[in-house]
């Protein structure tokens, strides 16, 4: 029940709701409350600096009855304003509350002009002064949790999330409390789907969440020891281990095995590839004409054989896919099934390697462009490098876009089929039937075909409604090409002519990559199908819980499981599925140094 005290709104902090208009942090805390993650209990006051003294003193004294300390934390819709709060200045111990309240008054007064009214303020009693925790190490191991007590942030406890093992002891806490807080921040990360830093307090003997802030990384267009694999899109999102295994085999100099270190591994549930520094995109000044001409000639020579290999792969793909399809998966024995798994993985790995070759020659061509006309705006590089959608893919996108508009015009948003107006049922079913074997582009093995279910079809309609897909990439490419043309006009006629030829070359590369991406998508569909059949048999043998658990194991692990070798396969899958959930909404960094 909302109370009014001297004209100031007051309500329980635990009464936060996702729809509240108190900023993203308040909405995130409400999400934690919905799923049962412990959040601090206290009062939420909507204050201005004029109503602060009389209203807040009584609330502070009431909160003191629940603990030795009282913590005051505003919700700041503007993060820049919240960043100006000195750490700890709003904590009230057993002494006089006046100084802390005067600091709060100043902050509220400063925020009044920015926010145009009252600011929601948390008033929380705590059995100890607040500490902090981070659910990932921003400069090291993403599975490393850090926990610290008040005044000891520089010497935190470090805990491995996967094993729960204490990696490094910190100061100011006992091991039991550090483990409790580590579990708390891990639960927060899992519930929100992204890494976070929290501030925690102790209530009724256990740590609870007081504040939270998403952890972010600088995703720059640079190089590092490990670099995120980007073959079709800038960030493919989470990629299952069966696809990671195919990527590793595609990029390996020899057949991977126990004796060969992984070339591609999952970090943030995304593929990262071991790379040596070397690329200089976005950093080089224009070169002398003779040197620039040599770079252009070298890039042109490198492009031709790669595009030829793309064409050979595409032309041979129909017959090769038909050969793979001749194997009736449900009729072969275990060895035959494993052989089909290897054959399909080999086909997909070959496509991955071609896409990576396309990435390399794109980079080489862009470097030659820089040598001619100088550094381009940062957004031009990914725009010029993106694969160009095939005619078939553009047709699919157009039909989805048209149906999405019709559903949105009728219902205001994309709804499930059961909620559709009956006049749209026939159109929905017709378009969905056309999409039953069309997979989304990408390098992961887990997505089903667009028309496989009403749920996957509705998700595809939402994606095109949000402006994703090839139309956004084509618009970005057109803008980048215009920028190249304008820049080239200012550096001389010969340089401009050569830059125009490189633009055409980049277009050819992009179209070739788009064609290969379509073939790879078809191959991934076959790899997924054989993986599901392996999973079905392992479920019958009580090795796995669900048939699609097989997608979260490598080919070597699947072979071991099929042949009866002992291993905690179901436990591995559960951990990897949790990784996907944990990192799915996270913008992972492009490089790890």
């Amino acid at each position: 029940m909302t109370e009014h005290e001297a004209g100031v709104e007051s309500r329980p902090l635990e009464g936060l709701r996702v729809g509240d208009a108190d900023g993203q942090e308040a909405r995130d805390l409400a999400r934690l409350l919905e799923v049962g993650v412990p959040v601090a209990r206290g009062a939420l006051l909507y204050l201005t600096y004029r109503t602060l003294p009389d209203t807040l003193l009584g609330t502070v004294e009431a909160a003191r009855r629940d603990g030795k300390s009282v913590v005051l934390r505003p919700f700041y819709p503007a993060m820049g304003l919240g960043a100006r709060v000195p750490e700890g200045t709003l904590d009230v111990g057993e002494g006089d509350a006046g100084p802390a309240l005067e600091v709060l008054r100043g902050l509220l007064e400063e925020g009044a002009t920015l926010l145009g009214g009252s600011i929601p303020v948390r008033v929380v009693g705590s059995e100890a002064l607040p500490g902090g925790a981070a659910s990932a190490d921003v400069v090291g191991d993403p599975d490393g949790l850090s926990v610290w007590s008040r005044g000891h942030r520089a010497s935190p406890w470090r805990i491995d999330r996967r094993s729960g093992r204490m990696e490094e002891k910190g100061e100011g806490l006992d091991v039991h409390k550090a483990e409790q807080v580590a579990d708390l921040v891990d639960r927060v990360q899992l519930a929100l789907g992204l890494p976070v830093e929290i501030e925690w307090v102790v209530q009724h003997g256990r740590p609870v969440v007081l504040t939270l802030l998403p952890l972010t990384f600088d995703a720059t267009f640079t190089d590092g020891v490990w670099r995120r694999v980007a073959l079709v899109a800038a960030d493919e999102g989470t990629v299952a281990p069966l696809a990671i295994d195919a990527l590793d085999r595609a990029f390996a100099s020899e057949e991977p095995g126990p004796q060969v270190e992984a070339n591609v591994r999952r970090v943030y549930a995304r593929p990262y590839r071991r790379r040596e520094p070397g690329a200089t995109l976005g950093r080089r000044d224009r070169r002398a004409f003779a040197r620039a001409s040599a770079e252009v000639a070298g890039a042109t020579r490198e492009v031709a054989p790669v595009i030829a290999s793309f064409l050979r792969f595409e032309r041979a793909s129909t017959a090769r896919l038909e050969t793979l399809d001749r194997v009736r998966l449900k009729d072969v024995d275990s060895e035959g099934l494993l052989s089909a798994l290897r054959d399909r993985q080999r086909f997909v790995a070959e496509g991955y390697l071609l896409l990576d070759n396309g990435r390399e020659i794109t980079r080489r061509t862009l470097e030659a462009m820089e040598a001619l006309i100088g550094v381009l705006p940062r957004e031009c590089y990914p725009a010029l490098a993106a694969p160009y959608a095939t005619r078939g893919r553009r047709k699919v996108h157009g039909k989805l876009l048209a149906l999405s508009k019709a559903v949105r015009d009728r219902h205001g948003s994309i709804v499930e089929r059961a909620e559709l107006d009956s006049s749209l049922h026939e159109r929905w079913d017709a378009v969905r039937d056309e999409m039953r074997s069309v997979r989304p582009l990408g390098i992961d093995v887990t997505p089903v075909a667009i028309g496989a279910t009403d749920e996957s079809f509705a998700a595809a309609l939402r994606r095109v409604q949000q402006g994703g897909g090839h139309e956004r990439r084509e618009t970005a490419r057109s803008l980048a090409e215009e920028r190249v043309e304008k820049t080239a006009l200012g550096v001389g006629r010969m340089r401009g002519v050569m830059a125009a030829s490189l633009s055409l070359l980049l277009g050819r590369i992009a179209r070739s990559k788009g064609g290969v991406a379509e073939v790879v998508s078809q191959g991934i569909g076959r790899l997924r199908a054989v993986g599901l059949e392996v999973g079905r048999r392992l479920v019958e043998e009580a090795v796995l819980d669900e048939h699609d658990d097989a997608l979260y194991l490598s080919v070597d692990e699947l072979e071991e499981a099929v042949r009866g070798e002992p291993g905690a396969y179901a436990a591995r899958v559960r951990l990897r599925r949790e990784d996907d959930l944990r990192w799915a909404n996270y913008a992972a960094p492009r490089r790890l140094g």
Side-chain angles (χ1 to χ4, degrees), residues 90 198 224 376 422 443-444 511 518 540 589:
L90 301 183
I198 68 168
L376 296 169
S422 58
I443 60 176
D444 190 22
R511 283 188 288 275
E518 287 288 347
E540 290 178 351

Side-chain angles (χ1 to χ4, degrees), residues 97 137 207 218 283 299 344 402 441 500 528 579:
D137 187 341
D218 180 21
R283 304 179 199 166
R344 295 177 185 215
L441 288 180
R528 173 186 169 83
D579 281 344

Side-chain angles (χ1 to χ4, degrees), residues 224-229 243-257 259-267 270-276 353 356 359-360:
V225 176
W226 291 91
R227 182 159 183 169
R228 198 174 64 218
V229 175
I244 298 288
D245 192 30
L247 285 165
D248 195 40
R249 293 171 191 276
F251 302 152
S253 57
E254 55 184 297
E255 184 69 10
Q259 77 286 353
V260 180
E261 186 176 4
N263 198 45
V264 177
R265 67 177 185 179
R266 270 174 42 118
V267 188
R270 287 162 167 82
Y272 278 80
R273 182 183 181 187
R274 190 181 299 277
R275 294 288 295 164
E276 293 297 329
L353 181 58
D356 190 59
R359 184 190 62 79
E360 287 287 350

